[in-house]
Amino acid sequence: MKQALTPRNLAMEDPRQVFESFICSPPLQSAKNIKATGTIAFAGGDASIEFQLEPRDFDELIRRGKFRLGDDKAFQWIREFQPEGVSGTVERYVRINEGMKQTALFVSEDHRRAWFYEIHF
């Protein structure tokens, strides 16, 4: 019971396991420099995972992660997101979730960098 009520601090966990838990399992072989932050708790929270990958794994990431291309019906924060320090465009993907969460994946034009966000309400 205590474990279920204790907030999960993603920065304190193994980044590859966080990647596997939130993005896709098993993790992509080329996923590297994974940085996870955020806190997930019983009452809500958020997860943020930044990583690099090889462009050859991009299609596999989208397929295994069950993402689809975002459109003009995506939540406003998804349509407006721009990663810090990135001047080029990013591709926006969403995952259809059941329950009280919003999930998005943002990928650089060259498919070498990605940013994952999940918000729990």
Side-chain angles (χ1 to χ4, degrees):
M1 177 81 156
K2 181 182 176 192
Q3 186 176 7
L5 296 175
T6 302
R8 183 177 173 191
N9 181 348
L10 302 179
M12 302 301 289
E13 297 183 19
D14 178 289
R16 288 195 73 76
Q17 288 180 344
V18 173
F19 184 100
E20 185 172 6
S21 175
F22 284 90
I23 300 175
C24 69
S25 177
L28 301 168
Q29 286 291 324
S30 71
K32 62 185 177 188
N33 297 327
I34 302 168
K35 298 174 188 156
T37 59
T39 303
I40 302 295
F42 181 72
D46 61 86
S48 172
I49 305 167
E50 182 178 339
F51 59 99
Q52 295 174 338
L53 71 154
E54 292 296 325
R56 70 176 183 272
D57 286 341
F58 170 75
D59 290 335
E60 187 71 8
L61 169 68
I62 299 304
R63 185 185 67 75
R64 288 193 357 218
K66 298 179 181 165
F67 294 101
R68 66 171 175 79
L69 194 58
D71 57 21
D72 61 349
K73 295 176 187 164
F75 293 102
Q76 185 172 348
W77 70 270
I78 295 171
R79 293 190 318 263
E80 294 176 352
F81 176 81
Q82 183 66 32
E84 252 183 69
V86 175
S87 58
T89 61
V90 293
E91 298 171 1
R92 290 156 168 68
Y93 296 85
V94 296
R95 182 186 287 154
I96 303 303
N97 295 307
E98 294 180 11
M100 300 296 292
K101 60 184 170 182
Q102 298 173 5
T103 305
L105 176 72
F106 306 93
V107 183
S108 64
E109 287 179 277
D110 64 2
H111 294 171
R112 293 186 178 278
R113 292 180 65 195
W115 301 264
F116 171 90
Y117 289 91
E118 187 167 283
I119 300 171
H120 294 235
F121 301 98

